[in-house]
């Protein structure tokens, strides 16, 4: 029997994550029920587009990823790459030029800038040299269907829309299947990351963009000073959406998804990628980061079982926890994003939640983040290299 009022109070507190999970389920049902507004809102809106690709390093399946942007069913667009002269991805880009002679593909060498965030420095140059007002920015590990540009550009026909972004899912490998780490990552994306996105959409609207796709205009970017204004800051993808929303424009999150090819090969890769992201969020949104305590259901349920180790309490808390978490994955993954979700991924829910809670705790003690094999402090919202880095040759010499 629960003997004290303190036990009752703790059990009530331990149920707090259930409220968050219920909100995630409600938000997901409401979000995906709307259907995609993509081309329905502006079927004839197909302005010329500059597709911008900052490149650093060779991603898995790089050719197929990049070639998918050359196969777009769209009337007029160009693809601009910005890459260093010694980058291993350069031969792949040159092969694209040879294989798709009818596509306008340009290569820019080096950012011509000295900045902590090399990707953003490259984007600053890409935007400045784009031929068209509408720009679509995407990561190098993204693979898209032929209707991609039509889908992500269409909402910009509404002058109130300042940027468009969309979900992303793992590319299906029908030959080799998926690994434990990839399944764990997929579970986390659906149950954790995307759940948080739809809750944010429900409570405060979309005031962020996701790196795999940002469609906007050069004018909207110039409104906050352009990429050069954020080239020394972390989380540039999130910032672009926030800074455009701050100008009074709406950021449109589509019920549409692209594919990404996993760039991690081990549990360690996944762990440090997640740790980097959560540490950056701690610096950018300290109170929101602290509030994540009440979204971690597994440790609260285990704590409730320790406070009252009776069969009804243990069964109720753990049973409700697993039911709600499974429902989130099914609604977002299967119903919303039309993905196949196996029982194996559902069984990984507590594994992911235990990992996510451990990473959240560890993030409070982190003074630096590791990105692209370099360590950085985050000070006053800026990335500061732990070890000063020499300026790249392209930046010292200017544009090639």
């Amino acid at each position: 029997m629960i003997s004290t009022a303190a036990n009752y109070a703790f059990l009530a507190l331990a149920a707090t994550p259930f409220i968050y999970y219920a909100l995630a389920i409600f938000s997901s049902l409401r979000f995906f029920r709307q259907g995609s507004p993509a081309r329905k809102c502006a079927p004839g809106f197909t302005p010329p587009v500059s597709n911008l690709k900052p490149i650093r390093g060779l991603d898995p399946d790089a050719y197929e990823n990049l070639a998918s942007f050359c196969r777009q069913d769209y009337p007029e667009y160009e693809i601009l790459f910005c890459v260093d002269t010694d980058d291993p991805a350069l031969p792949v880009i040159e092969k694209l030029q040879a294989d798709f002679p009818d596509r306008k593909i340009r290569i820019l060498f080096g950012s011509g800038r000295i900045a902590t965030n090399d990707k953003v420095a490259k984007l600053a140059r890409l935007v400045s040299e784009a031929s068209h007002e509408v720009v679509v920015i995407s990561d190098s590990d993204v693979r898209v269907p032929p209707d991609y540009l039509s889908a992500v550009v269409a909402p910009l026909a509404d002058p109130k829309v300042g940027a468009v972004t969309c979900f992303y899912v793992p590319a299906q490998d029908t030959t080799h299947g998926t690994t434990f780490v990839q399944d764990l990552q997929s579970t986390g994306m659906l149950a954790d990351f995307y759940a948080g996105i739809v809750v944010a959409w429900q409570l405060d609207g979309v005031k962020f963009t996701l790196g795999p796709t940002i469609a906007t205009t050069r004018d909207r970017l110039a409104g906050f000073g352009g990429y050069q204004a954020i080239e020394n800051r972390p989380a540039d993808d999130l910032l672009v959406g926030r800074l455009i929303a701050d100008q009074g424009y709406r950021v449109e999150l589509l019920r549409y998804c692209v594919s990404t090819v996993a760039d991690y090969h081990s549990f360690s890769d996944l762990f440090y990628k997640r740790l980097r992201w959560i540490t950056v969020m701690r610096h950018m949104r300290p109170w929101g980061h602290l509030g994540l305590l009440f979204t971690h259901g597994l440790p609260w349920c285990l704590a409730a079982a320790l406070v009252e180790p009776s069969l009804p309490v243990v069964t109720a808390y753990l049973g409700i926890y697993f039911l709600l978490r499974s429902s989130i994955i099914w609604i977002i993954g299967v119903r919303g994003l039309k993905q196949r979700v196996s029982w194996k991924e559902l069984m990984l829910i507590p594994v992911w939640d235990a990992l996510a809670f451990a990473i959240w705790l560890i993030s409070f003690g982190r003074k630096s983040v590791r990105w692209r094999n370099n360590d950085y402090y985050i000070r006053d919202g800026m990335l500061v290299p732990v070890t000063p880095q020499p300026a790249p040759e392209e930046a010292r010499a200017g544009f090639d």
Side-chain angles (χ1 to χ4, degrees):
M1 292 291 293
I2 300 174
S3 56
T4 67
N7 283 7
Y8 277 114
F10 183 85
L11 291 180
L13 184 64
T16 304
F18 297 161
I19 300 173
Y20 170 75
Y21 294 158
L23 177 60
I25 290 171
F26 171 78
S27 302
S28 301
L29 289 171
R30 184 166 175 263
F31 180 84
F32 288 108
R33 188 181 295 128
Q34 296 180 102
S36 176
R39 283 158 296 172
K40 297 178 183 178
C41 62
F45 183 74
T46 54
V49 170
S50 293
N51 193 75
L52 311 182
K53 288 280 190 182
I55 302 293
R56 182 175 180 180
L58 191 63
D59 293 304
D61 299 333
Y63 180 86
E64 282 305 315
N65 297 341
L66 301 177
S68 68
F69 289 86
C70 301
R71 302 186 181 111
Q72 289 299 294
D73 182 14
Y74 196 84
E76 183 181 354
Y77 70 99
E78 65 174 352
I79 307 175
L80 272 70
F81 294 95
C82 189
V83 62
D84 297 331
T85 54
D86 59 349
D87 197 289
L90 183 57
V92 175
I93 300 171
E94 292 172 338
K95 178 172 171 55
L96 287 176
Q97 288 182 311
D99 292 348
F100 296 91
D102 296 333
R103 290 295 179 215
K104 186 177 181 180
I105 301 173
R106 289 194 284 147
I107 304 175
L108 309 177
F109 292 104
S111 67
R113 308 180 65 84
I114 299 175
T116 303
N117 193 327
D118 177 68
K119 169 193 167 184
V120 180
K122 286 185 168 100
L123 281 170
R125 184 181 180 193
L126 285 166
V127 171
S128 71
E129 301 209 19
S131 300
H132 307 302
E133 172 64 13
V134 175
V135 293
V136 175
I137 299 153
S138 52
D139 291 339
S140 57
D141 62 348
V142 172
R143 189 176 303 174
V144 295
D147 68 342
Y148 168 73
L149 286 180
S150 299
V152 302
V153 168
L156 294 174
D158 184 345
K160 296 179 180 178
V161 174
V164 182
T165 194
C166 68
F167 293 96
Y168 52 100
V169 296
Q172 299 297 320
D173 186 344
T174 56
T175 303
H176 302 98
T178 57
T179 66
F180 167 79
V181 173
Q182 290 168 344
D183 287 335
L184 188 61
Q185 161 73 356
S186 296
T187 300
M189 289 293 292
L190 296 175
D192 195 355
F193 185 58
Y194 286 163
I197 284 176
V198 293
V199 168
W201 168 84
Q202 172 69 38
L203 296 180
D204 195 36
V206 178
K207 297 180 180 178
F208 52 83
T209 44
L210 305 176
T213 288
I214 302 173
T216 186
T217 67
R218 296 167 72 186
D219 181 68
R220 302 292 184 264
L221 294 172
F224 65 81
Y227 274 102
Q228 56 268 33
I230 59 172
E231 63 186 5
N232 295 315
R233 299 181 65 180
D236 54 281
D237 304 328
L238 181 151
L239 279 174
V240 167
R242 177 186 293 178
L243 294 170
I244 289 175
D246 286 347
Q247 298 174 56
Y249 296 105
R250 190 169 77 247
V251 177
E252 188 76 58
L253 175 63
L254 298 183
R255 269 68 66 188
Y256 181 93
C257 57
V258 298
S259 300
T260 59
V261 177
D263 60 351
Y264 43 82
H265 307 285
S266 66
F267 181 83
S268 176
D269 290 341
L270 175 59
F271 177 87
Y272 283 106
K273 182 177 181 179
R274 172 74 180 187
L275 181 59
R276 181 184 74 238
W277 180 82
I278 202 72
T279 302
V280 169
M281 290 301 103
R282 178 172 68 85
H283 285 271
M284 295 185 67
R285 301 174 61 249
W287 288 109
H289 181 77
L290 188 62
L292 290 177
L293 173 64
F294 298 102
T295 68
H296 289 285
L298 181 62
W300 282 106
C301 289
L302 294 177
L306 289 174
V307 168
E308 180 54 38
S310 65
L311 182 60
V313 169
V314 173
T315 302
Y317 274 77
L318 292 178
I320 294 172
Y321 155 78
F322 189 76
L323 176 63
L324 292 176
R325 295 299 271 157
S326 299
S327 298
I328 291 172
I329 287 185
W330 187 87
I331 293 167
I332 295 177
V334 177
R335 179 172 175 171
L337 301 178
K338 312 303 180 186
Q339 298 297 295
R340 295 176 59 185
V341 176
S342 67
W343 280 103
K344 179 172 61 173
E345 289 171 283
L346 293 180
M347 293 301 105
L348 286 175
I349 291 173
V351 178
W352 170 262
D353 284 352
L355 174 64
F357 182 66
I359 291 174
W360 178 76
L361 290 175
I362 292 169
S363 71
F364 286 97
R366 295 288 293 183
K367 296 181 178 179
S368 64
V369 295
R370 172 160 283 263
W371 187 61
R372 295 282 188 177
N373 297 319
N374 293 307
D375 293 314
Y376 300 90
Y377 297 118
I378 302 176
R379 292 175 176 166
D380 299 322
M382 298 290 180
L383 284 172
V384 179
V386 173
T387 303
Q389 302 169 19
E393 288 296 329
E394 288 81 0
R396 291 200 297 269
F399 293 168
D400 289 340

